[in-house]
Amino acid sequence: TAMVLEDGRCFVLGTNKNGELGIGSLKETTQPKHLPLPSPVSKASLGPNFSALLTTTGDLYTFGYGGSRVNGIGCLGQGSVDSHPTPTLVQSLIEDGCYAADVHCGEYSMTVLTTEGEVLTCGSGSYGRLGNLETVDQLYLEPVELMGAEDVVQIAGGFAFSLALNKGGLIHAWGRNNEGQLGCGMGLAVDMYAMESIPRPIEGDLEGRKVTRIAAGHTHAAAVTSNGELFTWGMNMTHEPKLESTLLHTKIVDVACGQNYTLASDVEGRVYSLGKGKTGVLGLASTKATAYPILVEGIPDTERVVSMSCGWAHVACVTEPKEI
């Protein structure tokens, strides 16, 4: 878990088998540890093997597992296979005059959005997860060439795939597609090696709609439209965007995905959950799965959720008092 405070300080805690907490060791910690950086932190992205921090000045710091010849190398964007136990500045971005606006850490690859709307990737190239047709690894962050003219405003990603949302509300997806997580269909067969090595537009029932928010889990993804609709796909449940029609009574404004589950918040600050609830992540006082969104009733009626974060097996929400 990572927590970014209003003043830009970042604290981390939890498991740390690959140094993904950036605390200088591989020991786990149950107490929040401060990660000191020269500039205030604006965002933290924790992956299963490595992590990244963005600062308010647009600098990118990475730490954790550097990769291997078997798993792929270059996920830290540092130009080598070396692991880094503490946050290390990605110097190549500064040399290229790039400033980071968003970052996602996957299994063995990283996706970065610059302030100019350009998408960069590095790390393992297997399953097309770098989006540049080739399946070779990249030691440095390189542009996803086919997204160059898209003016991207948001990125998201799962275990081995990425999503990019452009200014016009269209999503492009690339990487592994073994459970339909790319949302562009899979034909008649489910292939464990299915992939897209270049960005593909997600259309289907999203065609003609403007997407405003995207999120991704292990092998599934979700999107919110300008009309407040929620669409989900992947996990071998559906291979194209599916409208969650039970939420049409309200307007959804945000969405977040964990390993095998999804949370959505509406304009009133209420939260709905769906997916697999094995570790209690659905907040429904049960560990059972649900195929449709259910209101999370444990949040006090006097509070409204303003931010959600989904980990692999736990959830955190930030609330504020409702206006009377």
Side-chain angles (χ1 to χ4, degrees):
T1 300
M3 297 161 285
V4 179
L5 307 188
E6 278 187 335
D7 60 7
R9 287 180 296 159
C10 181
F11 292 83
V12 295
L13 73 158
T15 57
N16 189 35
K17 63 179 181 179
N18 292 303
E20 60 267 35
L21 292 185
I23 58 176
S25 72
L26 301 183
K27 294 182 179 179
E28 66 177 37
T29 174
T30 57
Q31 298 293 325
K33 300 286 187 181
H34 179 224
L35 296 181
L37 291 185
S39 302
V41 174
S42 59
K43 180 178 180 177
S45 176
L46 302 187
N49 298 301
F50 71 100
S51 303
L53 298 178
L54 285 183
T55 70
T56 55
T57 56
D59 290 331
L60 175 67
Y61 291 79
T62 58
F63 44 96
Y65 181 62
S68 70
R69 295 295 176 183
V70 175
N71 297 323
I73 59 177
C75 54
L76 298 182
Q78 301 285 355
S80 73
V81 71
D82 296 339
S83 297
H84 289 264
T86 58
T88 303
L89 180 65
V90 179
Q91 193 69 38
S92 61
L93 284 185
I94 296 176
E95 294 170 358
D96 293 338
C98 292
Y99 298 94
D102 201 357
V103 60
H104 165 72
C105 297
E107 179 191 20
Y108 299 117
S109 63
M110 179 169 62
T111 305
V112 172
L113 176 65
T114 73
T115 54
E116 299 296 320
E118 186 177 36
V119 180
L120 313 174
T121 56
C122 65
S124 171
S126 63
Y127 295 108
R129 65 185 93 191
L130 300 182
N132 280 324
L133 190 62
E134 302 292 337
T135 57
V136 296
D137 302 342
Q138 291 176 184
L139 291 174
Y140 294 99
L141 285 161
E142 300 289 348
V144 179
E145 298 293 347
L146 291 181
M147 296 300 298
E150 290 296 331
D151 197 8
V152 174
V153 295
Q154 189 186 351
I155 58 173
F159 208 52
F161 72 101
S162 294
L163 306 177
L165 175 66
N166 71 13
K167 194 173 183 180
L170 177 66
I171 311 171
H172 284 79
W174 63 92
R176 195 169 188 182
N177 195 32
N178 60 310
E179 295 191 15
Q181 57 263 51
L182 298 189
C184 52
M186 295 182 65
L188 298 177
V190 176
D191 184 354
M192 66 178 294
Y193 300 107
M195 55 173 265
E196 294 292 341
S197 58
I198 58 174
R200 285 275 305 273
I202 300 179
E203 296 173 327
D205 287 345
L206 281 178
E207 191 171 2
R209 289 176 163 95
K210 182 177 181 179
V211 174
T212 56
R213 298 288 297 172
I214 56 175
H218 187 275
T219 56
H220 76 290
V224 177
T225 71
S226 58
N227 294 326
E229 303 159 311
L230 176 67
F231 285 82
T232 61
W233 61 92
M235 285 173 57
N236 273 334
M237 302 289 287
T238 174
H239 301 150
E240 293 184 346
K242 169 199 167 191
L243 174 65
E244 298 296 343
S245 57
T246 59
L247 292 178
L248 291 179
H249 66 281
T250 188
K251 183 174 183 179
I252 300 300
V253 295
D254 199 9
V255 64
C257 293
Q259 182 175 8
N260 294 307
Y261 67 97
T262 300
L263 298 186
S265 62
D266 68 8
V267 68
E268 300 296 330
R270 295 172 298 210
V271 174
Y272 300 83
S273 64
L274 72 154
K276 296 182 179 180
K278 187 176 181 181
T279 59
V281 289
L282 300 184
L284 302 176
S286 169
T287 56
K288 294 182 179 179
T290 174
Y292 56 90
I294 297 177
L295 177 66
V296 178
E297 297 182 347
I299 299 171
D301 292 337
T302 56
E303 300 286 319
R304 65 188 307 271
V305 172
V306 294
S307 178
M308 306 177 296
S309 180
C310 293
W312 242 222
H314 70 297
V315 172
C317 293
V318 176
T319 68
E320 67 179 17
K322 287 184 177 178
E323 296 182 3
I324 300 177

